[in-house]
């Protein structure tokens, strides 16, 4: 069944919220953090919808299953940020994420943006590989964390960057 990428509509709200929750649950699993997103991780979707810098949202609409993916574009002057991009678990690996990314890139070009950034979680290796395959191959920034030891983290793997070892 084909997927159509189209603009987000108010009727997509419950599907968007469900996808947002799925994204939060993925973060919880990656970082063994059952509290991420609070008791109602879908509430963050409501906050997202009110962002003044939100320039557009598009969904992947599956003919039989409805909305199975979501991508948003945040504007900052001549730059754009892709946030979020999420495809429901049952439809991953079918090229839907890549189609969403291609669509938001075309929208950014049409709007005259200079570049797009995206900030995947460092442990989400599948997402990083998918983003790299979609052309996101410029490492433009790093976000580093100082673990203050207030809660136990399960840092799982090491990553070397510029001959320095980091935990992820």
């Amino acid at each position: 069944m084909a997927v159509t990428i189209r603009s987000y509509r108010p009727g997509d709200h419950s599907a968007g919220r469900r996808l947002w929750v799925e994204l939060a649950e993925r973060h919880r699993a990656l970082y063994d953090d059952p509290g991420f997103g609070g008791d109602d991780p879908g509430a963050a979707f409501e906050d997202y919808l009110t962002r003044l810098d939100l320039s557009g949202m598009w969904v992947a609409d599956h003919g039989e299953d409805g909305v199975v993916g979501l991508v948003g574009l945040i504007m900052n002057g001549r730059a754009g940020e892709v946030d979020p991009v999420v495809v429901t678990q049952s439809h991953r690996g079918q090229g839907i994420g890549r189609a969403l990314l291609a669509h938001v890139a075309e929208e950014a070009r049409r709007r005259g943006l200079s570049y797009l950034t995206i900030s995947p979680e460092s442990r989400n290796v599948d997402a990083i590989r998918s983003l790299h395959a979609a052309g996101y191959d410029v490492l433009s920034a790093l976000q580093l964390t100082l673990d203050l030891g207030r809660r136990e983290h399960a840092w799982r793997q090491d990553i070397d960057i510029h001959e320095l070892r980091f935990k992820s």
Side-chain angles (χ1 to χ4, degrees):
M1 177 60 58
V3 171
T4 302
I5 307 300
R6 62 167 175 78
S7 292
Y8 174 88
R9 302 188 286 236
D12 299 325
H13 182 265
S14 63
R17 187 176 170 103
R18 175 184 44 79
L19 287 164
W20 198 274
V21 169
E22 197 168 329
L23 192 61
E25 288 172 351
R26 177 75 174 137
H27 181 97
R28 287 176 175 186
L30 282 171
Y31 288 93
D32 192 23
D33 183 2
F36 180 82
D39 293 335
D40 180 11
F45 184 63
E46 311 304 330
D47 293 337
Y48 176 79
L49 292 174
T50 65
R51 287 186 66 152
L52 296 178
D53 56 355
L54 178 60
S55 178
M57 286 187 352
W58 299 270
V59 297
D61 194 352
H62 186 276
E64 294 176 5
D65 298 332
V67 173
V68 297
L70 172 74
V71 67
L73 175 62
I74 306 297
M75 300 263 299
N76 183 12
R78 304 290 293 163
E81 177 185 358
V82 177
D83 182 37
V85 61
V86 59
V87 175
T88 193
Q89 177 67 38
S90 62
H91 286 80
R92 290 185 191 148
Q94 300 175 19
I96 296 169
R98 187 169 297 194
L100 286 165
L101 289 168
H103 187 85
V104 75
E106 186 54 39
E107 285 289 331
R109 282 185 197 90
R110 189 177 63 74
R111 296 170 190 210
L113 297 182
S114 300
Y115 57 87
L116 280 177
T117 61
I118 189 166
S119 301
E121 296 295 331
S122 63
R123 285 190 186 173
N124 196 341
V125 177
D126 290 339
I128 293 168
R129 286 186 175 130
S130 294
L131 291 166
H132 189 269
Y136 289 81
D137 60 0
V138 177
L139 185 62
S140 58
L142 293 173
Q143 181 178 13
L144 302 177
T145 300
L146 174 62
D147 186 348
L148 299 174
R150 293 187 178 206
R151 85 177 197 61
E152 196 168 318
H153 292 278
W155 302 116
R156 294 186 191 157
Q157 62 192 67
D158 292 333
I159 298 173
D160 291 333
I161 300 174
H162 298 297
E163 300 176 13
L164 300 170
R165 174 77 31 120
F166 295 92
K167 294 174 240 166
S168 174

